[in-house]
Amino acid sequence: MRGWTIPVVAALALLAGSGVAAPLSNAAPRPLTQHKSPARPLIALTFDDLPAHGPLPQGGDRLVIGKTIIAALAAHHAPAFGFMNASFGAGDPNAPKVLAAWRAAGLPIGNHTFGHVNLDTVGADAFLADVARNEPALSAVARRADWHWFRYPFLVEGQSDTVREAVRAGLRERGYRIAAVTMSFGDYAWNDAFARCTAHHDEPAIAALETSYLAAARIQAQRSRDLAQAALGHDIPYVLLMHLGAFDARMLPRLLNLYEQMGFGFTTLPAAEAGPFYRAARDLTIPGPTATLEAAARAKHLPIPANAPVPAASVCA
């Protein structure tokens, strides 16, 4: 458990010269005791890009990645929701086994489009067609479980009101609710860097990635709480965006320990989004976009804290 026991600033200082970016501020996150809410803050864990996210590291195995994540969730009694792209993992015989293992563990699954398409690139009609194209495989995997939860690829909901509302109307007709995101730390970037560093057998760089991953997760969790407290006056149940990647599998036990040390508990996506903050995510008759903490802060003319940095593309390049 070496990552989270190091103070955040000191841990990131260890990355000097490693090629991993340092944080934009030298200030450590404020302690949770400054928050006034007595309730334990909750996180709903969500994983995008099932069954195969990102490059597979040298010697990696998609099924091992999936089972490692599932085991860590079970060990911490942490519910999770997965979002599937049926085109991902094509040609990998273990990809269907990942989905089967996810469902065998009782974990629900939702729609992330067939091909992870960008709405602003393809337009509303093609986007909704890709949503529908994903449904037969998704329904077969989910079986009798409700799979009508949707996560926008790239979190892109449409730059124009016309496109955004056309897609919301189409999703509403198909019975979907939106999986919002109110906590994230760019975990996908560590999965890419890890694959490169593994290929180079660069153990010091991998150790630096471990340190920076946990540091960024801590900073971003505190950032979400700070935004909620400033804009809303209280915590909300936070929805965390992650991916089913190799480095996420490596780090998930330590990440869940970190969140527990910060005072967080875990909840389901439906329970998290039952509150008023997520109303537009549940009821697609309400004009979008889906609520974010950043938008709530901007509406009150509050400053938006900088995000923690992610590994540079030059790491182990």
Side-chain angles (χ1 to χ4, degrees), residues 48-49 83 85 110-113 116-120 124 127-128 131 149-159 163-172 176-181 241 243 280-281 284 286 288-291:
D48 284 6
D49 301 355
F83 289 90
N85 306 98
N111 199 332
H112 198 34
T113 74
H116 205 275
V117 294
N118 187 319
L119 172 56
D120 284 336
F127 186 84
L128 288 169
V131 172
W149 283 85
F150 183 76
R151 169 67 54 72
Y152 284 90
F154 311 104
L155 303 184
V156 171
E157 299 195 16
Q159 292 183 352
V163 170
R164 182 174 60 246
E165 296 312 316
V167 170
R168 285 178 68 85
L171 292 173
R172 182 179 70 247
Y176 285 101
R177 291 153 289 176
I178 305 301
V181 174
L241 168 61
H243 296 79
L284 301 191
I286 300 171
T290 304

Side-chain angles (χ1 to χ4, degrees), residues 29-161:
R30 295 186 307 176
L32 295 186
T33 52
Q34 293 188 13
H35 291 285
K36 297 180 180 179
S37 173
R40 188 183 192 193
L42 298 174
I43 297 173
L45 300 161
T46 66
F47 290 82
D48 284 6
D49 301 355
L50 273 68
H53 166 78
L56 193 62
Q58 192 174 66
D61 182 299
R62 297 291 182 192
L63 184 57
V64 171
I65 290 169
K67 286 186 173 181
T68 301
I69 287 175
I70 291 166
L73 295 169
H76 288 261
H77 305 287
F81 208 109
F83 289 90
M84 172 182 164
N85 306 98
S87 68
F88 282 14
D92 187 334
N94 278 338
K97 297 177 184 178
V98 173
L99 297 170
W102 187 267
R103 290 294 300 123
L107 298 171
I109 195 164
N111 199 332
H112 198 34
T113 74
F114 181 84
H116 205 275
V117 294
N118 187 319
L119 172 56
D120 284 336
T121 300
V122 303
D125 290 343
F127 186 84
L128 288 169
D130 208 61
V131 172
R133 187 181 179 189
N134 205 42
E135 290 180 346
L138 176 59
S139 178
V141 170
R143 297 184 182 273
R144 296 182 181 180
D146 179 18
W147 46 266
H148 288 89
W149 283 85
F150 183 76
R151 169 67 54 72
Y152 284 90
F154 311 104
L155 303 184
V156 171
E157 299 195 16
Q159 292 183 352
S160 76
D161 293 347

Side-chain angles (χ1 to χ4, degrees), residues 157-217:
E157 299 195 16
Q159 292 183 352
S160 76
D161 293 347
T162 300
V163 170
R164 182 174 60 246
E165 296 312 316
V167 170
R168 285 178 68 85
L171 292 173
R172 182 179 70 247
E173 290 173 2
R174 305 188 79 84
Y176 285 101
R177 291 153 289 176
I178 305 301
V181 174
T182 46
M183 185 182 292
S184 65
F185 60 97
D187 67 300
Y188 59 88
W190 277 268
N191 290 310
D192 292 350
F194 178 57
R196 298 192 300 268
C197 294
T198 300
H200 289 291
H201 306 286
D202 193 337
E203 292 300 325
I206 292 171
L209 289 174
E210 293 175 343
T211 301
S212 64
Y213 181 99
L214 294 173

